[in-house]
Amino acid sequence: MMIKDRLKKISSNPTLIISNNKEISLDQILNRYENDLSKISGARILICKSDISETLSIASAIDGLVDAFALISPTSSIELISSLAKSGNFEAILCDDLLNLDKVKNLPPIFHDLKILANSFTARKIPNETRWILTTSGTTGKPKLVSHTLSSLTRTTKIDPIRGINIRWGMLYDYTRFAGLQVLLQSIISGSTLIEPIFEYSLEKKIKNFIDHKCTHLSATPTFWRKILMTPNSNQINLLQVTLGGEIADDRILSAVSKHFPQARVAHIFASTESGVGFSVVDKKAGFPKNYLKNHPHGIDIKIENDRLFIRNKDVHDKYFGSETMFASNDGWIDTGDSVEVKNDRVLFRGREDGVINVGGDKVYPEEVENILLKHPLVSAARVYAKSNPITGSLVAADVTLVNLKTDENKARKLLQEYSIEKLDRHKSLATIKIVSRFNLNSSGKIVRKV
């Protein structure tokens, strides 16, 4: 079923999206492109639009008609857009005027209006199911294109239009990324309202926007939730659902959001662009129950090999779009790159294998050290990374932000240094600690790791 058909089934919610404080109805989404777009059938289009409602209208008009369309963040560089357009063999780019792509060489034809784009094509065979193309985060290299379908993207979406009309989702992610698209699709397909504050707003203004528009459901990374908890008046958002994803959710953050929003159901989700949504956990404990390895949630398979987590999801493709590079094995298993350990009846995440720090031959997972630091009452956020050393190869270093910005930094460093020696094995203890005022977050709400 196409996205347009899904939307036609929902209840008559008068407001589907509140974007930049402007209310947008379902009819406005569906009726924006009523004219004949049949000439565009079978095409591959790269979409790079900042307006979430316009993009949804475009997707509604072309899903089931075109072969594939890619959702690319409008904050992407021209170089990245050019690279992705070439690797995905896209035939046209639909973008905002302000991107100024028109004069860039070796790009597919540039259009700013879907109707004009459609009239420039010759109709070809309509596909069985349109492919929705998303980019990976690019945290470990150049972003890659991953192919989904509406079916795979909404496999775990809960559809209850009667209940949905009373739900209001807040958007903190980039909607062109996997996590943001999940929030968008969950909201609109269930007949709920999506609240999208102005992107450039400060977090304080976004919180006020959510309060003013009666947000009930909110999803963000653990890092972003820590920022929310420290934002004045954030407890005035009457949340019924708190969702954490994208990073390891430790016991401290799960407990903190539970106390801050006592009426909310708290869930942390394991998902990736390649594997889709793996599973969710709602018992407010770090990691996931060991019995998930046998009783597969949502019909997916989970296993651990050599302390690494693998997922098999029959609804996702097994190679990067526009490439022969496989990210799944021949029998469908995807190596998530996450190191895990089993403790009693729980599977706990240690960290990413591609981020391991080698200290004299011993492995150190930055996330493991960060989780220890985050348990200290002085620390609000932390980033752990490798510091080059001629003897051991690397040592462990950390940047931290403090809960109270007025705290004496020298005393804080001393206390945290002593704390790391006490709580961590010798090779994991911190060689240097730097106090910083804030961390930059990427479009997925994660701390930018490159230092």
Side-chain angles (χ1 to χ4, degrees):
M1 188 180 293
M2 296 174 290
I3 184 68
K4 181 183 292 185
D5 298 322
R6 293 280 196 98
L7 292 177
K8 287 179 178 178
K9 285 180 173 292
I10 66 175
S11 60
S12 55
N13 185 353
T15 304
L16 195 66
I17 296 176
I18 301 174
S19 180
N20 298 348
N21 292 315
K22 179 182 178 182
E23 295 189 0
I24 300 157
S25 69
L26 174 60
D27 286 342
Q28 287 174 288
I29 295 293
L30 293 178
N31 297 334
R32 186 176 297 189
Y33 298 106
E34 290 183 294
N35 57 316
D36 182 16
L37 299 174
S38 59
K39 288 184 178 180
I40 208 173
S41 64
R44 286 187 177 187
I45 303 170
L46 188 151
I47 302 170
C48 192
K49 289 279 189 177
S50 57
D51 188 311
I52 193 170
S53 66
E54 183 184 4
T55 300
L56 182 57
S57 291
I58 293 169
S60 301
I62 68 176
D63 183 33
L65 192 60
V66 302
D67 172 46
F69 65 87
L71 296 177
I72 306 299
S73 174
T75 62
S76 300
S77 67
I78 291 176
E79 291 76 19
L80 177 59
I81 294 172
S82 177
S83 173
L84 294 174
K86 182 178 179 181
S87 64
N89 195 27
F90 290 99
E91 300 163 274
I93 295 177
L94 186 60
C95 66
D96 293 336
D97 295 1
L98 296 176
L99 286 178
N100 295 318
L101 293 176
D102 305 67
K103 297 180 181 180
V104 180
K105 296 180 180 179
N106 301 319
L107 282 181
I110 307 294
F111 298 90
H112 306 302
D113 183 271
L114 177 62
K115 298 172 187 176
I116 297 174
L117 185 157
N119 288 328
S120 303
F121 275 79
T122 301
R124 284 160 287 173
K125 182 180 178 181
I126 295 176
N128 293 327
E129 193 169 11
T130 295
R131 289 175 287 181
W132 294 49
I133 313 301
L134 302 174
T135 62
T136 59
S137 64
T139 53
T140 57
K142 188 175 72 173
K144 301 178 182 66
L145 296 169
V146 178
S147 175
H148 281 271
T149 62
L150 184 63
S151 299
S152 68
L153 289 168
T154 58
R155 183 175 55 84
T156 60
T157 300
K158 296 177 181 178
I159 303 173
D160 186 354
I162 295 175
R163 178 174 174 268
I165 198 170
N166 296 314
I167 291 173
R168 294 192 163 203
W169 277 94
M171 178 66 87
L172 286 172
Y173 294 114
D174 179 339
Y175 78 92
T176 68
R177 307 303 291 275
F178 184 83
L181 189 58
Q182 286 290 299
V183 172
L184 172 61
L185 292 174
Q186 173 62 67
S187 174
I188 63 170
I189 288 177
S190 61
S192 304
T193 296
L194 180 72
I195 307 165
E196 186 204 29
I198 295 173
F199 180 78
E200 291 79 13
Y201 269 1
S202 66
L203 182 55
E204 288 81 2
K205 283 190 175 182
K206 289 179 179 177
I207 294 296
K208 185 179 186 304
N209 195 260
F210 292 147
I211 295 170
D212 291 344
H213 293 296
K214 298 179 172 56
C215 177
T216 62
H217 290 49
L218 196 58
S219 178
T221 62
T223 294
F224 217 111
W225 276 113
R226 292 184 183 99
K227 292 169 68 72
I228 292 171
L229 297 183
M230 295 179 66
T231 303
N233 302 322
S234 61
N235 61 347
Q236 292 182 25
I237 315 175
N238 294 318
L239 292 181
L240 301 177
Q241 172 78 32
V242 166
T243 303
L244 303 89
E247 297 170 327
I248 297 173
D250 59 87
D251 288 323
R252 182 182 176 187
I253 188 61
L254 292 169
S255 174
V257 294
S258 298
K259 292 177 181 177
H260 203 72
F261 303 104
Q263 304 301 317
R265 174 180 181 266
V266 177
H268 55 105
I269 292 178
F270 180 88
S272 71
T273 310
E274 288 93 339
S275 66
V277 177
F279 50 85
S280 62
V281 185
V282 295
D283 59 11
K284 301 180 183 179
K285 297 179 182 178
F288 62 90
K290 184 181 176 182
N291 63 19
Y292 276 20
L293 298 171
K294 291 184 178 180
N295 302 318
H296 309 136
H298 303 304
I300 66 161
D301 298 326
I302 307 172
K303 70 176 181 178
I304 298 173
E305 282 188 4
N306 299 320
D307 298 327
R308 287 172 78 118
L309 183 69
F310 289 77
I311 284 182
R312 183 164 59 187
N313 181 351
K314 61 181 177 57
D315 292 322
V316 302
H317 296 91
D318 57 6
K319 65 177 66 173
Y320 292 109
F321 185 74
S323 166
E324 292 303 312
T325 303
M326 303 278 291
F327 56 77
S329 63
N330 290 333
D331 54 357
W333 286 102
I334 297 172
D335 182 354
T336 66
D338 290 288
S339 176
V340 295
E341 59 180 339
V342 179
K343 286 191 175 181
N344 300 320
D345 62 346
R346 205 76 182 171
V347 180
L348 301 175
F349 288 90
R350 299 176 66 189
R352 299 282 302 171
E353 281 292 336
D354 53 27
V356 165
I357 301 171
N358 190 323
V359 181
D362 291 314
K363 282 186 176 183
V364 179
Y365 292 93
E367 296 90 342
E368 182 181 4
V369 179
E370 287 166 359
N371 286 338
I372 294 295
L373 285 172
L374 289 168
K375 292 178 180 178
H376 195 285
L378 287 177
V379 177
S380 65
R383 174 178 58 195
V384 171
Y385 52 95
K387 180 180 176 65
S388 180
N389 181 271
I391 298 174
T392 62
S394 295
L395 293 174
V396 183
D399 294 345
V400 302
T401 60
L402 302 176
V403 172
N404 187 344
L405 297 180
K406 295 181 180 180
T407 302
D408 183 279
E409 293 187 5
N410 290 327
K411 289 182 179 179
R413 272 192 294 269
K414 182 179 179 182
L415 288 171
L416 293 175
Q417 189 74 61
E418 293 171 350
Y419 174 74
S420 80
I421 293 172
E422 176 188 352
K423 296 293 183 180
L424 296 164
D425 294 335
R426 183 176 179 181
H427 64 282
K428 299 177 184 177
S429 61
L430 297 171
T432 60
I433 301 172
K434 182 180 179 182
I435 308 297
V436 298
S437 59
R438 66 182 181 86
F439 288 114
N440 292 325
L441 304 184
N442 63 20
S443 59
S444 299
K446 303 177 187 179
I447 291 177
V448 177
R449 292 233 168 239
K450 294 180 180 180
V451 295

